[in-house]
Amino acid sequence: MDEPRDSARQRLRDSIVDAARAQTVATGWDGVRMGGVASAAGVSRQTVYNEFGTKAGLAEALARREVDRFVSAVRAALREHGADVRAGAYAAIAHTLTEAAGNPLIKAILTSARGGSDELLPYLTTRSELVLAEASGALLEWASIHLPAADPARLAFAADTIVRLVVSHIVLPQAPPEQTARALADLALHLFLTSSTPTDPGR
């Protein structure tokens, strides 16, 4: 009974987030105004506040949708390569780095951050509930199928480490995406396989 209403509300929220994304790309997050987002989305300013509460709430919704897109692509890359740990890691990391490098929203956020404003950057990088948990969760889901003997704590550390490194290379790239992906895939292979190796109790 509530499904049409929920669907309509989701479309409303999506249109507002679309407008916020477009304005962020055009002006940077500092230039985004709730009234301007409302006008672009064709709704009232109060509607934007009703849906997201504050500008910070809108920032979180914008970042969550972007993160969800990246994590969905990571899951697809891992599924495609099955139990081939290095191939899956390389595909997922290379796709993420390449897409991030060409993503206009991420470019706008990083440009703003380099100019001294980083209000939106944490939502796409270090906020654990958005990036670290979501991306690590995708790796752990895949590993639970293909590395069933792995120690959960060591596996969690491996996934968290890889995600943090990928994020750092998005924020401050040091080499072409393919080169970085090869190096990080080698590291992922080592960390994931090590997590499946019995620990020496004497160490």
Side-chain angles (χ1 to χ4, degrees):
M1 187 174 183
D2 291 333
E3 189 173 337
R5 184 183 304 170
D6 292 343
S7 178
R9 185 183 179 196
Q10 188 59 54
R11 287 195 300 271
L12 169 66
R13 289 175 66 87
D14 286 343
S15 69
I16 294 171
V17 173
D18 285 340
R21 188 183 195 278
Q23 290 200 9
T24 303
V25 170
T27 67
W29 184 247
D30 280 357
V32 173
R33 298 290 180 268
M34 299 292 263
V37 170
S39 295
V43 300
S44 70
R45 190 166 178 266
Q46 188 58 49
T47 296
V48 178
Y49 279 104
N50 288 346
E51 290 298 324
F52 298 99
T54 62
K55 189 179 177 184
L58 181 57
E60 184 160 352
L62 174 59
R64 181 172 294 280
R65 191 172 69 176
E66 211 70 17
V67 169
D68 285 346
R69 287 175 176 170
F70 275 94
V71 172
S72 292
V74 166
R75 285 195 170 96
L78 293 173
R79 282 197 304 268
E80 181 180 349
H81 293 278
D84 190 333
V85 175
R86 191 189 182 284
Y90 174 80
I93 294 168
H95 175 84
T96 300
L97 293 177
T98 301
E99 287 296 306
N103 185 300
L105 177 63
I106 292 178
K107 284 183 177 180
I109 293 169
L110 294 178
T111 298
S112 295
R114 288 165 190 149
S117 173
D118 62 355
E119 185 179 353
L120 191 54
L121 184 62
Y123 288 95
L124 283 170
T125 54
T126 55
R127 289 200 57 172
S128 62
E129 69 273 24
L130 282 177
V131 178
L132 299 180
E134 293 292 331
S136 295
L139 291 175
L140 291 174
E141 287 170 15
W142 165 76
S144 69
I145 298 171
H146 300 293
L147 298 171
D151 176 75
R154 294 163 73 189
L155 196 58
F157 175 79
D160 182 80
T161 297
I162 294 302
V163 171
R164 288 176 186 272
L165 287 171
V166 171
V167 168
S168 73
H169 282 281
I170 290 173
V171 175
L172 191 62
Q174 296 181 329
E178 295 80 6
Q179 181 180 334
T180 301
R182 285 194 295 271
L184 291 181
D186 288 340
L187 178 60
L189 177 64
H190 171 74
L191 290 174
F192 282 126
L193 293 186
T194 300
S195 70
S196 300
T197 305
T199 305
D200 182 350
R203 296 182 65 182

mmCIF file of all heavy atoms in Angstrom, residues 70 74 89 92-97 100 131 135 139 159-173 180-181 184-185:
data_model
loop_
_atom_site.group_PDB
_atom_site.id
_atom_site.type_symbol
_atom_site.label_atom_id
_atom_site.label_comp_id
_atom_site.label_asym_id
_atom_site.label_seq_id
_atom_site.Cartn_x
_atom_site.Cartn_y
_atom_site.Cartn_z
ATOM 1 N N PHE A 70 30.344 3.189 -6.533
ATOM 2 C CA PHE A 70 31.687 2.622 -6.595
ATOM 3 C C PHE A 70 31.702 1.207 -6.019
ATOM 4 O O PHE A 70 32.314 0.303 -6.586
ATOM 5 C CB PHE A 70 32.679 3.513 -5.837
ATOM 6 C CG PHE A 70 33.220 4.645 -6.656
ATOM 7 C CD1 PHE A 70 32.631 5.892 -6.620
ATOM 8 C CD2 PHE A 70 34.330 4.462 -7.467
ATOM 9 C CE1 PHE A 70 33.126 6.944 -7.384
ATOM 10 C CE2 PHE A 70 34.844 5.505 -8.234
ATOM 11 C CZ PHE A 70 34.231 6.749 -8.193
ATOM 12 N N VAL A 74 32.757 -2.455 -7.594
ATOM 13 C CA VAL A 74 33.748 -3.325 -6.967
ATOM 14 C C VAL A 74 33.197 -4.739 -6.826
ATOM 15 O O VAL A 74 33.868 -5.728 -7.153
ATOM 16 C CB VAL A 74 34.159 -2.767 -5.580
ATOM 17 C CG1 VAL A 74 34.915 -3.831 -4.775
ATOM 18 C CG2 VAL A 74 35.022 -1.527 -5.748
ATOM 19 N N ALA A 89 41.184 -8.447 -7.380
ATOM 20 C CA ALA A 89 41.663 -7.241 -6.702
ATOM 21 C C ALA A 89 42.106 -6.192 -7.715
ATOM 22 O O ALA A 89 41.778 -5.015 -7.599
ATOM 23 C CB ALA A 89 42.806 -7.588 -5.761
ATOM 24 N N ALA A 92 39.026 -4.632 -9.519
ATOM 25 C CA ALA A 92 38.267 -3.741 -8.641
ATOM 26 C C ALA A 92 39.023 -2.448 -8.367
ATOM 27 O O ALA A 92 38.458 -1.351 -8.424
ATOM 28 C CB ALA A 92 37.953 -4.454 -7.329
ATOM 29 N N ILE A 93 40.323 -2.572 -8.086
ATOM 30 C CA ILE A 93 41.124 -1.388 -7.760
ATOM 31 C C ILE A 93 41.331 -0.509 -8.993
ATOM 32 O O ILE A 93 41.188 0.720 -8.929
ATOM 33 C CB ILE A 93 42.477 -1.805 -7.155
ATOM 34 C CG1 ILE A 93 42.255 -2.488 -5.803
ATOM 35 C CG2 ILE A 93 43.393 -0.595 -6.986
ATOM 36 C CD1 ILE A 93 43.486 -3.190 -5.260
ATOM 37 N N ALA A 94 41.646 -1.124 -10.125
ATOM 38 C CA ALA A 94 41.872 -0.348 -11.349
ATOM 39 C C ALA A 94 40.613 0.404 -11.750
ATOM 40 O O ALA A 94 40.668 1.579 -12.140
ATOM 41 C CB ALA A 94 42.333 -1.266 -12.472
ATOM 42 N N HIS A 95 39.470 -0.275 -11.663
ATOM 43 C CA HIS A 95 38.217 0.386 -12.010
ATOM 44 C C HIS A 95 37.966 1.574 -11.080
ATOM 45 O O HIS A 95 37.595 2.664 -11.532
ATOM 46 C CB HIS A 95 37.056 -0.595 -11.928
ATOM 47 C CG HIS A 95 35.721 0.051 -12.159
ATOM 48 N ND1 HIS A 95 35.214 0.273 -13.416
ATOM 49 C CD2 HIS A 95 34.802 0.561 -11.281
ATOM 50 C CE1 HIS A 95 34.048 0.881 -13.325
ATOM 51 N NE2 HIS A 95 33.772 1.060 -12.034
ATOM 52 N N THR A 96 38.156 1.359 -9.789
ATOM 53 C CA THR A 96 37.898 2.421 -8.810
ATOM 54 C C THR A 96 38.794 3.628 -9.057
ATOM 55 O O THR A 96 38.328 4.773 -9.085
ATOM 56 C CB THR A 96 38.108 1.894 -7.386
ATOM 57 O OG1 THR A 96 37.204 0.811 -7.141
ATOM 58 C CG2 THR A 96 37.860 2.981 -6.355
ATOM 59 N N LEU A 97 40.090 3.392 -9.235
ATOM 60 C CA LEU A 97 41.027 4.504 -9.444
ATOM 61 C C LEU A 97 40.753 5.231 -10.757
ATOM 62 O O LEU A 97 40.806 6.463 -10.818
ATOM 63 C CB LEU A 97 42.459 3.982 -9.419
ATOM 64 C CG LEU A 97 42.963 3.440 -8.076
ATOM 65 C CD1 LEU A 97 44.378 2.878 -8.231
ATOM 66 C CD2 LEU A 97 42.944 4.527 -7.007
ATOM 67 N N ALA A 100 37.430 7.167 -10.457
ATOM 68 C CA ALA A 100 37.589 8.307 -9.556
ATOM 69 C C ALA A 100 38.334 9.445 -10.247
ATOM 70 O O ALA A 100 38.001 10.619 -10.079
ATOM 71 C CB ALA A 100 38.321 7.883 -8.291
ATOM 72 N N VAL A 131 32.549 4.892 3.652
ATOM 73 C CA VAL A 131 33.522 4.321 2.721
ATOM 74 C C VAL A 131 34.164 3.053 3.256
ATOM 75 O O VAL A 131 34.082 1.996 2.630
ATOM 76 C CB VAL A 131 34.621 5.343 2.373
ATOM 77 C CG1 VAL A 131 35.655 4.732 1.445
ATOM 78 C CG2 VAL A 131 34.008 6.566 1.714
ATOM 79 N N ALA A 135 33.032 -0.438 1.505
ATOM 80 C CA ALA A 135 33.996 -1.054 0.589
ATOM 81 C C ALA A 135 34.639 -2.288 1.214
ATOM 82 O O ALA A 135 34.816 -3.319 0.545
ATOM 83 C CB ALA A 135 35.063 -0.039 0.199
ATOM 84 N N LEU A 139 34.592 -6.493 0.012
ATOM 85 C CA LEU A 139 35.744 -7.395 -0.039
ATOM 86 C C LEU A 139 35.538 -8.602 0.864
ATOM 87 O O LEU A 139 35.871 -9.737 0.503
ATOM 88 C CB LEU A 139 37.015 -6.646 0.369
ATOM 89 C CG LEU A 139 37.519 -5.575 -0.598
ATOM 90 C CD1 LEU A 139 38.704 -4.838 0.010
ATOM 91 C CD2 LEU A 139 37.920 -6.188 -1.934
ATOM 92 N N ALA A 159 41.291 -6.253 4.364
ATOM 93 C CA ALA A 159 40.316 -5.488 3.575
ATOM 94 C C ALA A 159 40.372 -4.008 3.921
ATOM 95 O O ALA A 159 40.377 -3.142 3.035
ATOM 96 C CB ALA A 159 38.905 -6.030 3.823
ATOM 97 N N ASP A 160 40.429 -3.703 5.204
ATOM 98 C CA ASP A 160 40.489 -2.310 5.654
ATOM 99 C C ASP A 160 41.746 -1.624 5.127
ATOM 100 O O ASP A 160 41.701 -0.470 4.677
ATOM 101 C CB ASP A 160 40.454 -2.261 7.182
ATOM 102 C CG ASP A 160 40.463 -0.842 7.721
ATOM 103 O OD1 ASP A 160 39.385 -0.214 7.729
ATOM 104 O OD2 ASP A 160 41.533 -0.358 8.114
ATOM 105 N N THR A 161 42.872 -2.332 5.157
ATOM 106 C CA THR A 161 44.139 -1.763 4.696
ATOM 107 C C THR A 161 44.075 -1.428 3.209
ATOM 108 O O THR A 161 44.478 -0.335 2.784
ATOM 109 C CB THR A 161 45.292 -2.751 4.957
ATOM 110 O OG1 THR A 161 45.409 -2.957 6.365
ATOM 111 C CG2 THR A 161 46.606 -2.214 4.409
ATOM 112 N N ILE A 162 43.555 -2.342 2.412
ATOM 113 C CA ILE A 162 43.479 -2.114 0.967
ATOM 114 C C ILE A 162 42.565 -0.934 0.664
ATOM 115 O O ILE A 162 42.889 -0.074 -0.171
ATOM 116 C CB ILE A 162 42.997 -3.381 0.250
ATOM 117 C CG1 ILE A 162 44.047 -4.499 0.385
ATOM 118 C CG2 ILE A 162 42.720 -3.091 -1.219
ATOM 119 C CD1 ILE A 162 45.419 -4.125 -0.166
ATOM 120 N N VAL A 163 41.427 -0.873 1.323
ATOM 121 C CA VAL A 163 40.495 0.227 1.074
ATOM 122 C C VAL A 163 41.137 1.562 1.431
ATOM 123 O O VAL A 163 41.039 2.541 0.678
ATOM 124 C CB VAL A 163 39.185 0.030 1.864
ATOM 125 C CG1 VAL A 163 38.306 1.279 1.766
ATOM 126 C CG2 VAL A 163 38.433 -1.179 1.329
ATOM 127 N N ARG A 164 41.802 1.630 2.580
ATOM 128 C CA ARG A 164 42.450 2.879 2.987
ATOM 129 C C ARG A 164 43.517 3.307 1.976
ATOM 130 O O ARG A 164 43.655 4.500 1.668
ATOM 131 C CB ARG A 164 43.071 2.725 4.372
ATOM 132 C CG ARG A 164 42.057 2.655 5.502
ATOM 133 C CD ARG A 164 42.734 2.407 6.842
ATOM 134 N NE ARG A 164 41.774 2.200 7.906
ATOM 135 C CZ ARG A 164 41.232 3.178 8.637
ATOM 136 N NH1 ARG A 164 41.578 4.441 8.411
ATOM 137 N NH2 ARG A 164 40.374 2.907 9.600
ATOM 138 N N LEU A 165 44.261 2.358 1.460
ATOM 139 C CA LEU A 165 45.300 2.686 0.484
ATOM 140 C C LEU A 165 44.689 3.170 -0.828
ATOM 141 O O LEU A 165 45.195 4.117 -1.447
ATOM 142 C CB LEU A 165 46.199 1.471 0.247
ATOM 143 C CG LEU A 165 47.159 1.137 1.393
ATOM 144 C CD1 LEU A 165 47.836 -0.206 1.143
ATOM 145 C CD2 LEU A 165 48.201 2.232 1.563
ATOM 146 N N VAL A 166 43.625 2.519 -1.263
ATOM 147 C CA VAL A 166 42.961 2.967 -2.492
ATOM 148 C C VAL A 166 42.447 4.396 -2.324
ATOM 149 O O VAL A 166 42.640 5.251 -3.207
ATOM 150 C CB VAL A 166 41.805 2.016 -2.871
ATOM 151 C CG1 VAL A 166 40.974 2.607 -4.009
ATOM 152 C CG2 VAL A 166 42.354 0.653 -3.284
ATOM 153 N N VAL A 167 41.821 4.671 -1.189
ATOM 154 C CA VAL A 167 41.309 6.020 -0.934
ATOM 155 C C VAL A 167 42.447 7.042 -0.951
ATOM 156 O O VAL A 167 42.325 8.124 -1.535
ATOM 157 C CB VAL A 167 40.553 6.075 0.407
ATOM 158 C CG1 VAL A 167 40.268 7.522 0.809
ATOM 159 C CG2 VAL A 167 39.251 5.294 0.316
ATOM 160 N N SER A 168 43.580 6.687 -0.348
ATOM 161 C CA SER A 168 44.708 7.629 -0.311
ATOM 162 C C SER A 168 45.225 7.923 -1.711
ATOM 163 O O SER A 168 45.636 9.051 -2.010
ATOM 164 C CB SER A 168 45.836 7.070 0.572
ATOM 165 O OG SER A 168 46.508 6.002 -0.060
ATOM 166 N N HIS A 169 45.177 6.936 -2.594
ATOM 167 C CA HIS A 169 45.643 7.151 -3.969
ATOM 168 C C HIS A 169 44.611 7.901 -4.814
ATOM 169 O O HIS A 169 44.975 8.500 -5.830
ATOM 170 C CB HIS A 169 46.025 5.820 -4.614
ATOM 171 C CG HIS A 169 47.362 5.317 -4.175
ATOM 172 N ND1 HIS A 169 48.546 5.792 -4.688
ATOM 173 C CD2 HIS A 169 47.711 4.401 -3.237
ATOM 174 C CE1 HIS A 169 49.572 5.183 -4.109
ATOM 175 N NE2 HIS A 169 49.082 4.338 -3.216
ATOM 176 N N ILE A 170 43.345 7.855 -4.406
ATOM 177 C CA ILE A 170 42.342 8.697 -5.060
ATOM 178 C C ILE A 170 42.586 10.159 -4.697
ATOM 179 O O ILE A 170 42.567 11.048 -5.551
ATOM 180 C CB ILE A 170 40.918 8.280 -4.641
ATOM 181 C CG1 ILE A 170 40.570 6.919 -5.253
ATOM 182 C CG2 ILE A 170 39.896 9.333 -5.061
ATOM 183 C CD1 ILE A 170 39.240 6.359 -4.760
ATOM 184 N N VAL A 171 42.828 10.398 -3.418
ATOM 185 C CA VAL A 171 43.016 11.769 -2.937
ATOM 186 C C VAL A 171 44.337 12.354 -3.415
ATOM 187 O O VAL A 171 44.414 13.523 -3.805
ATOM 188 C CB VAL A 171 42.938 11.798 -1.394
ATOM 189 C CG1 VAL A 171 43.257 13.200 -0.862
ATOM 190 C CG2 VAL A 171 41.556 11.358 -0.930
ATOM 191 N N LEU A 172 45.390 11.545 -3.417
ATOM 192 C CA LEU A 172 46.714 12.033 -3.799
ATOM 193 C C LEU A 172 47.390 10.994 -4.701
ATOM 194 O O LEU A 172 48.264 10.249 -4.267
ATOM 195 C CB LEU A 172 47.569 12.283 -2.555
ATOM 196 C CG LEU A 172 48.879 13.045 -2.769
ATOM 197 C CD1 LEU A 172 48.602 14.452 -3.303
ATOM 198 C CD2 LEU A 172 49.668 13.119 -1.466
ATOM 199 N N PRO A 173 46.990 10.933 -5.969
ATOM 200 C CA PRO A 173 47.576 9.929 -6.873
ATOM 201 C C PRO A 173 49.054 10.186 -7.122
ATOM 202 O O PRO A 173 49.489 11.331 -7.229
ATOM 203 C CB PRO A 173 46.752 10.119 -8.158
ATOM 204 C CG PRO A 173 46.209 11.505 -8.075
ATOM 205 C CD PRO A 173 45.998 11.790 -6.623
ATOM 206 N N THR A 180 49.327 1.830 -10.226
ATOM 207 C CA THR A 180 48.979 1.750 -8.803
ATOM 208 C C THR A 180 48.156 0.501 -8.519
ATOM 209 O O THR A 180 48.361 -0.184 -7.513
ATOM 210 C CB THR A 180 48.191 2.998 -8.376
ATOM 211 O OG1 THR A 180 48.988 4.159 -8.617
ATOM 212 C CG2 THR A 180 47.826 2.935 -6.902
ATOM 213 N N ALA A 181 47.227 0.184 -9.415
ATOM 214 C CA ALA A 181 46.379 -0.992 -9.221
ATOM 215 C C ALA A 181 47.196 -2.271 -9.209
ATOM 216 O O ALA A 181 46.919 -3.190 -8.432
ATOM 217 C CB ALA A 181 45.312 -1.050 -10.314
ATOM 218 N N LEU A 184 48.928 -2.439 -5.776
ATOM 219 C CA LEU A 184 47.982 -2.714 -4.701
ATOM 220 C C LEU A 184 47.372 -4.103 -4.823
ATOM 221 O O LEU A 184 47.054 -4.742 -3.815
ATOM 222 C CB LEU A 184 46.882 -1.653 -4.680
ATOM 223 C CG LEU A 184 47.315 -0.245 -4.255
ATOM 224 C CD1 LEU A 184 46.123 0.704 -4.267
ATOM 225 C CD2 LEU A 184 47.965 -0.261 -2.873
ATOM 226 N N ALA A 185 47.215 -4.607 -6.044
ATOM 227 C CA ALA A 185 46.702 -5.970 -6.231
ATOM 228 C C ALA A 185 47.702 -6.989 -5.698
ATOM 229 O O ALA A 185 47.308 -7.995 -5.099
ATOM 230 C CB ALA A 185 46.406 -6.221 -7.699
#
